[in-house]
Amino acid sequence: MGLSRREFLKRTAALTAASYVGMNLPVSLEGEAQAADADSWHPGTCRLCGSGCRLELGVKNGQAVALRGISKSRTNFGYLCMKGMLFYKLMGQNHPERLKKPLYRAKKDQPFKEISWDEALDIAAKEFAKAVKAHGNNSVAYYGSGQALTEETYIFQKIMRGGLQTNNVEGNPRLCMASAVGGYLTSFGADEPIGSYDNFERASCFFIIGSNTAEAHPVLFRRIMRRKMDNRDRVKVINADPRISPTSRISDLDLVFEPGTDLAMLNAMAYVIIEEKLYDEDFLKNYSVFRKGKDKKQVSFEEYKKFLSAYTPEKAAQICGGNITAEKIRTAARWFATSEGTMSIWTMGINQRSRGVWANNLIHNLHILTGQLCRPGADSFSLTGQPNACGGVREGGGLCHILPAHRLVKKDKLRHQVEKLWGIPQGRIPPKPGYHTMAMFEAVNQGKIKAIWINCTSPAQSLPNCDKYIKGMARDDVFMVVTDIFPTRTTELANLIMPTAFIFEKTGVYGCTERRSQLTRKAVDAPGDARPEVWIVREWALRLSKELNDPVIKKCVEPFMGKEPDYELPKAIWDEYTQKLTKDRDNDLRGATYEVLEQLPDGVQWPAPTKEFALKGGTDIKFVRGIDPLADKHAKNEMPYQFYGPAHPDKKLWIWLRPQKGPQEMPDAHYPFYLSTGRVIDHWHTSSMTGRIPELMRANPYAFVEINPKDAEKMGIKPGDMVEVTSRRGRNILPAKVYVGPCEGMVFVYWHDMYSDRMINRVTNDVWDPGSKEPEFKICACRIKKVSGPKPLKPFIVQMKS
Amino acid sequence: MPIGGFVVNLHPDKIPEGLARLEMMEGLEIHGSDEKGNVVVVLESQTSEQMEEMVKDIMAVEQVLSVGLTYFNAEDEVEKIKAGTYVPERSFGRKPLH
Ligand code: SF4
């Protein structure tokens, strides 16, 4: 009997889900003569967070109509989250608001006019050339994104450095990942995690700190949850955060501390590990040293012990507040040290701090002390928020101080290597790093940067204290090009907008959190006249070369001439980057050619120097002989682990003496609350929320402020009331959500709202970590005040006025 | 009318209560469950925004630990977009994705 189309699709959906958990359903599709659910299926990577979930896009009549997970993929085993589900709507012809034509205006108060690509590229070339001629090479800048493909970041930075001779190359990962980079380099001598996601299935203790994994990385959380639920007595989960979140649903121990006190807590855990002799003496002796201070002075174990005496669990409990007791710290330390494999996981709660690098160091310290590294289940693992912060920006040379393949700009030898590989004259790349993100936008404010290219990100909304930087971007003497798929708060400040292709509308590689590179090939056409960035940059560079009468700029794109933009061009860029630039570097990707990536359901983890090795998936644990080919190659002795990271000449892991340091701005009489910010809209606690307001929560594209019920009572604030949140920098007016999420004395605001009264980055603090230059988004001081009862709100999205 | 295939994970100690809560939800069909708390669920909704809301409602159920999407089909919705009878919300543009 024939099924209706809907019944057919529902059965397809049910059978797919059932196959994932090995369940037999009493239905089948055998003998069903139906048009298939899609004409073709195209493998690729979800671009909406850093997990790197693999999926197939179903295309029918040239349009994206369906999605299914790839069950053989080692990142997600076929599972996706809701964000992943909805992105088909942004693709191809599916969204009416996509940017489709280049738009231009000479002055920022004029309306935009549609222009041709030729005109757009000419204008971009002329304006950048004009700035360079009149104000020097450092008057131009590129600000990119952890959402750009690796090929895009690579070619942009090549033109900026090799062509325009400036290191003013930055990207939004500075705002979320920089402290993790700093932590890995200073603790382990090499950027990026040692292990892989497969530790989720092998760990016996999870130490989750500063990460609401359940919401921010739901698909990875699923793996942790499964591990815990299948081994409830054996696996412990510790959740450390100033805010109770859905992640607590699987935790054995919740450590709720006051914002900014975690350094004391981490030091106290180290204190317990040493006091109770839970450390791994052999590991310490063989692989580590203790260091302190700016000059990285080596110190003794005794000195470290003495340093820690300021952090007894009792003292730390007093500093940490919240629900922290000395006994809780002891329990956490014991579980951490004695489990068969402990995996730490963190995100922005640790990174976005004025001492974010230190916080990273202190987590790594615990792993080094206890030898919880390099073996199954043991890892110190930072999660990324964006799909290509690691692959594109950290590895591809997307920050002001690094060149492709983890080379430091300031090292002459490494810089000259790059110049040679690019076939450009020695000395072409300037020896001085460019402006880091916050300095870059400060330079825009001061009119020092005359032309800036912003790709695939919206700093007008995402920079802390954004009002201050919007003023600079709005200057008429700052020429701004924005390449993006939608109008944003930043396109509102642009002179020239170029419409770009979205994922699955172009070809390229993303590198996710676990050092894994994955290819997504074009499957549908971009709408209107939108083009892939790699084509835009190549064409722009050719024109720049003419404008500046500089053949070296042309030389930078010569290897890419004549290639069609949808596949051949990105492939040529990827080949140059991997075969030339990553050769013999720690992220050696020579084995991960497009041809190899296309054969694998997920992708390749570097180092992967050969195709044969890459075809097996690459390196799942770095530094281990017999697993990591570079550990064998660089081996200095017979030891099983070889920490060959380029940043540590002694080839050791470094345990750091780092004191407690609070946020730069502490609550005081005028601004008595901590303000923390985060990224996910959640409904998790709605059932337990005091006084749910369905209408308010239903249409949820706008932000609200979360207030602890005790504080709300004191302030006379009821759920849904409009509340003013004010800091020294700016204010927001948001509806209140009253519930036991944030601890007392703290309020929490999501940062996704584009409506100007609810753009929380008008309130956040733009101080930054002196080591990583990452701003302290997570904590500042504010005051709150009820301004009215509930008000109906409308979601707000930037529209194009042309 | 989008259709989604999901594996919902219930807390293994709270399977009957969790199933009872799920059964009450509109637009949700349970196709099978096991002793680990895996539940195979199909959701059907008017729009994909609505399905997103349904998933959030499922996540708000106390006994639910995670919701994993495995299959999603929106061919009807795409037809409507083409015909101009449905304009998808842009639930995100270029908001910060940190
Ligand atoms: S977890 Fe991240 S990568 Fe995976 S489907 Fe969701 S948004 Fe996409």
Side-chain angles (χ1 to χ4, degrees):
Chain A
M1 201 183 77
L3 296 172
S4 72
R5 179 76 181 161
R6 293 203 65 69
E7 208 44 51
F8 168 76
L9 292 176
K10 275 160 74 175
R11 280 199 186 177
T12 306
L15 289 165
T16 309
S19 72
Y20 282 37
V21 285
M23 212 183 279
N24 289 317
L25 299 186
V27 294
S28 84
L29 287 172
E30 263 166 54
E32 263 309 310
Q34 284 267 354
D37 46 350
D39 302 336
S40 53
W41 290 93
H42 305 261
T45 305
C46 173
R47 61 153 285 157
L48 297 183
C49 86
S51 302
C53 296
R54 290 291 275 179
L55 54 88
E56 286 181 305
L57 184 74
V59 176
K60 206 169 143 188
N61 304 327
Q63 269 176 302
V65 296
L67 293 170
R68 63 186 185 205
I70 296 181
S71 55
K72 283 208 185 102
S73 161
R74 283 161 285 194
T75 51
N76 59 324
F77 296 106
Y79 290 98
L80 302 167
C81 79
M82 286 305 294
K83 274 183 295 177
M85 177 190 107
L86 293 177
F87 84 119
Y88 83 94
K89 285 193 293 188
L90 310 178
M91 251 179 257
Q93 309 305 318
N94 289 354
H95 205 292
E97 283 167 39
R98 282 283 300 268
L99 293 165
K100 297 188 181 86
K101 288 263 182 222
L103 301 168
Y104 174 68
R105 58 184 177 184
K107 287 198 164 310
K108 290 178 181 168
D109 58 359
Q110 295 170 342
F112 282 104
K113 269 203 325 261
E114 281 186 14
I115 55 170
S116 69
W117 273 107
D118 267 334
E119 288 169 301
L121 293 161
D122 279 341
I123 294 167
K126 282 203 171 76
E127 292 290 340
F128 272 68
K130 192 171 94 190
V132 167
K133 279 189 225 159
H135 305 278
N137 300 71
N138 284 330
S139 69
V140 295
Y142 166 73
Y143 185 67
S145 166
Q147 296 155 55
L149 296 163
T150 303
E151 293 82 346
E152 293 163 359
T153 300
Y154 176 81
I155 190 172
F156 263 119
Q157 64 86 38
K158 186 179 182 188
I159 303 306
M160 294 305 291
R161 299 187 208 267
L164 292 172
Q165 301 182 75
T166 175
N167 288 310
N168 287 341
V169 172
E170 272 285 294
N172 57 10
R174 177 72 73 184
L175 308 179
C176 57
M177 293 301 307
S179 297
V181 177
Y184 279 123
L185 283 171
T186 49
S187 287
F188 299 159
D191 189 18
E192 303 198 36
I194 295 176
S196 306
Y197 292 158
D198 64 3
N199 283 324
F200 289 139
E201 279 78 34
R202 300 192 273 182
S204 303
C205 174
F206 291 95
F207 182 58
I208 305 174
I209 177 161
S211 160
N212 178 5
T213 324
E215 288 178 306
H217 294 89
V219 174
L220 302 179
F221 180 75
R222 197 185 172 283
R223 292 173 68 169
I224 301 171
M225 177 278 297
R226 205 56 282 160
R227 172 74 182 161
K228 167 70 187 164
M229 287 302 143
D230 291 345
N231 303 274
R232 276 198 275 169
D233 301 332
R234 215 155 63 80
V235 173
K236 300 277 189 222
V237 177
I238 306 164
N239 182 29
D241 202 280
R243 178 174 166 261
I244 291 273
S245 75
T247 303
S248 306
R249 285 193 184 179
I250 61 160
S251 61
D252 300 277
L253 178 64
D254 282 307
L255 299 170
V256 183
F257 52 86
E258 271 181 33
T261 62
D262 39 2
L263 280 77
M265 189 182 75
L266 292 162
N267 273 331
M269 285 173 68
Y271 178 93
V272 175
I273 286 167
I274 287 176
E275 184 196 38
E276 301 189 3
K277 299 218 167 8
L278 303 173
Y279 53 91
D280 182 334
E281 224 173 315
D282 286 340
F283 192 89
L284 274 186
K285 194 173 83 219
N286 293 331
Y287 300 114
S288 71
V289 294
F290 300 87
R291 293 191 187 271
K292 73 169 190 189
K294 264 207 163 133
D295 52 355
K296 309 170 193 165
K297 191 175 149 233
Q298 193 173 331
V299 299
S300 65
F301 183 52
E302 287 312 312
E303 187 167 347
Y304 179 56
K305 262 168 88 171
K306 209 170 114 212
F307 160 80
L308 288 178
S309 62
Y311 303 99
T312 63
E314 287 70 23
K315 286 183 196 161
Q318 272 187 355
I319 300 172
C320 293
N323 78 352
I324 305 289
T325 61
E327 206 36 47
K328 279 191 178 142
I329 293 176
R330 285 182 197 281
T331 306
R334 286 174 199 141
W335 288 355
F336 189 111
T338 58
S339 97
E340 282 164 43
T342 295
M343 186 173 188
S344 296
I345 298 158
W346 67 97
T347 54
M348 305 319 132
I350 290 294
N351 296 338
Q352 289 176 336
R353 300 271 308 281
S354 63
R355 281 299 175 190
V357 176
W358 289 9
N360 274 264
N361 288 146
L362 294 188
I363 299 173
H364 298 320
N365 276 1
L366 299 176
H367 285 270
I368 303 171
L369 280 172
T370 54
Q372 292 281 14
L373 286 171
C374 296
R375 52 190 170 86
D379 204 5
S380 196
F381 198 88
S382 131
L383 296 177
T384 6
Q386 300 191 87
N388 206 25
C390 293
V393 176
R394 280 156 83 168
E395 296 158 27
L399 296 171
C400 67
H401 64 297
I402 47 169
L403 299 165
H406 295 147
R407 288 177 174 90
L408 287 177
V409 166
K410 62 177 187 216
K411 295 255 159 100
D412 294 344
K413 196 178 119 204
L414 298 178
R415 219 171 47 246
H416 298 331
Q417 263 176 14
V418 173
E419 288 158 343
K420 199 162 158 221
L421 292 167
W422 285 348
I424 60 173
Q426 182 164 323
R428 188 78 190 181
I429 305 172
K432 210 174 139 239
Y435 293 118
H436 62 80
T437 295
M438 299 312 292
M440 183 179 277
F441 286 95
E442 184 60 49
V444 170
N445 272 358
Q446 292 171 4
K448 288 186 192 156
I449 287 178
K450 296 293 179 194
I452 182 166
W453 190 311
I454 293 170
N455 180 38
C456 196
T457 181
S458 182
Q461 191 188 357
S462 59
L463 294 175
N465 193 9
C466 57
D467 279 353
K468 178 173 156 194
Y469 301 100
I470 287 171
K471 285 191 195 112
M473 287 182 257
R475 284 173 71 131
D476 250 326
D477 60 346
V478 175
F479 178 79
M480 216 159 91
V481 189
V482 180
T483 27
D484 212 323
I485 63 165
F486 278 118
T488 65
R489 281 290 185 196
T490 305
T491 59
E492 288 181 344
L493 303 165
N495 296 95
L496 180 61
I497 304 174
M498 301 199 212
T500 57
F502 193 53
I503 187 134
F504 282 106
E505 299 168 357
K506 57 188 177 188
T507 298
V509 175
Y510 276 156
C512 74
T513 304
E514 57 161 2
R515 295 177 282 104
R516 183 184 292 281
S517 296
Q518 311 188 110
L519 177 69
T520 304
R521 286 189 64 167
K522 181 178 170 176
V524 295
D525 285 328
D529 229 353
R531 303 273 171 98
E533 283 91 325
V534 285
W535 176 86
I536 298 173
V537 182
R538 182 185 70 190
E539 301 303 310
W540 171 63
L542 289 174
R543 285 165 164 87
L544 264 180
S545 176
K546 272 200 201 125
E547 289 292 333
L548 286 167
N549 196 16
D550 183 348
V552 179
I553 304 179
K554 189 169 171 211
K555 176 92 187 140
C556 290
V557 290
E558 224 152 55
F560 315 131
M561 298 307 294
K563 310 268 179 205
E564 62 78 30
D566 290 335
Y567 184 82
E568 291 299 327
L569 176 56
K571 180 170 180 294
I573 298 170
W574 178 253
D575 282 344
E576 172 177 304
Y577 165 58
T578 55
Q579 304 309 313
K580 289 189 176 175
L581 276 292
T582 74
K583 179 170 181 265
D584 294 329
R585 301 295 301 165
D586 70 338
N587 71 324
D588 200 327
L589 277 160
R590 278 174 297 162
T593 60
Y594 271 22
E595 188 204 346
V596 166
L597 295 174
E598 277 167 44
Q599 286 175 53
L600 293 164
D602 35 29
V604 174
Q605 288 180 288
W606 58 258
T610 65
K611 283 191 193 173
E612 299 69 52
F613 188 70
L615 277 168
K616 289 187 217 130
T619 300
D620 63 345
I621 313 179
K622 277 197 297 184
F623 305 135
V624 181
R625 295 187 70 170
I627 294 179
D628 173 356
L630 297 191
D632 292 317
K633 187 172 154 194
H634 296 303
K636 293 264 180 290
N637 50 38
E638 288 309 304
M639 306 294 267
Y641 308 145
Q642 298 287 333
F643 296 102
Y644 57 78
H648 288 184
D650 61 1
K651 305 300 164 205
K652 299 267 190 199
L653 305 175
W654 295 356
I655 292 178
W656 284 96
L657 282 62
R658 304 288 202 204
Q660 160 63 22
K661 183 98 175 35
Q664 202 255 7
E665 192 178 72
M666 293 290 278
D668 57 21
H670 296 288
Y671 298 94
F673 284 88
Y674 286 108
L675 165 67
S676 188
T677 62
R679 99 176 149 129
V680 187
I681 315 169
D682 78 271
H683 273 231
W684 280 85
H685 278 259
T686 44
S687 48
S688 56
M689 213 198 315
T690 39
R692 181 178 180 192
I693 305 162
E695 310 74 48
L696 190 72
M697 298 303 160
R698 271 283 156 212
N700 208 346
Y702 39 79
F704 37 80
V705 52
E706 292 182 359
I707 306 170
N708 186 287
K710 288 195 185 139
D711 289 327
E713 202 189 326
K714 269 184 256 161
M715 311 286 299
I717 294 169
K718 296 204 180 55
D721 282 352
M722 297 305 289
V723 172
E724 182 182 69
V725 179
T726 314
S727 75
R728 288 183 177 83
R729 292 152 297 277
R731 61 168 211 157
N732 272 197
I733 296 176
L734 308 130
K737 176 174 168 184
V738 178
Y739 89 117
V740 196
C743 59
E744 256 182 279
M746 165 181 165
V747 297
F748 184 91
V749 178
Y750 293 105
W751 63 35
H752 62 277
D753 206 317
M754 287 198 236
Y755 182 67
S756 74
D757 261 3
R758 300 189 295 267
M759 261 167 61
I760 196 60
N761 281 332
R762 304 180 68 195
V763 183
T764 50
N765 200 352
D766 56 341
V767 293
W768 62 77
D769 181 309
S772 66
K773 319 289 191 281
E774 178 165 342
E776 189 158 57
F777 276 104
K778 276 289 163 185
I779 321 170
C780 70
C782 73
R783 59 171 180 252
I784 57 172
K785 192 176 101 192
K786 172 173 168 172
V787 288
S788 74
K791 274 210 177 133
L793 298 174
K794 273 222 168 109
F796 177 83
I797 300 283
V798 175
Q799 305 283 343
M800 206 66 237
K801 291 177 229 117
S802 62
Chain B
M1 297 227 292
I3 288 170
F6 295 83
V7 176
V8 174
N9 291 99
L10 296 176
H11 195 292
D13 296 345
K14 304 172 186 166
I15 297 172
E17 303 96 294
L19 283 174
R21 289 285 303 273
L22 293 180
E23 270 160 15
M24 279 159 35
M25 296 185 142
E26 232 176 283
L28 181 153
E29 282 174 14
I30 297 177
H31 283 255
S33 62
D34 66 18
E35 72 292 345
K36 281 183 165 185
N38 294 314
V39 188
V40 170
V41 156
V42 172
L43 296 185
E44 216 183 342
S45 62
Q46 292 299 322
T47 63
S48 48
E49 280 87 13
Q50 201 190 358
M51 184 165 307
E52 192 181 8
E53 292 302 320
M54 288 166 75
V55 170
K56 285 176 184 167
D57 284 345
I58 298 174
M59 294 211 263
V61 171
E62 206 188 302
Q63 295 84 3
V64 170
L65 295 179
S66 88
V67 182
L69 171 73
T70 63
Y71 177 93
F72 178 71
N73 190 304
E75 58 178 36
D76 294 4
E77 194 164 273
V78 170
E79 283 304 316
K80 283 192 210 155
I81 295 171
K82 235 198 233 165
T85 53
Y86 167 64
V87 178
E89 263 175 48
R90 173 147 62 89
S91 52
F92 66 98
R94 187 69 64 210
K95 64 186 196 215
L97 264 170
H98 298 300

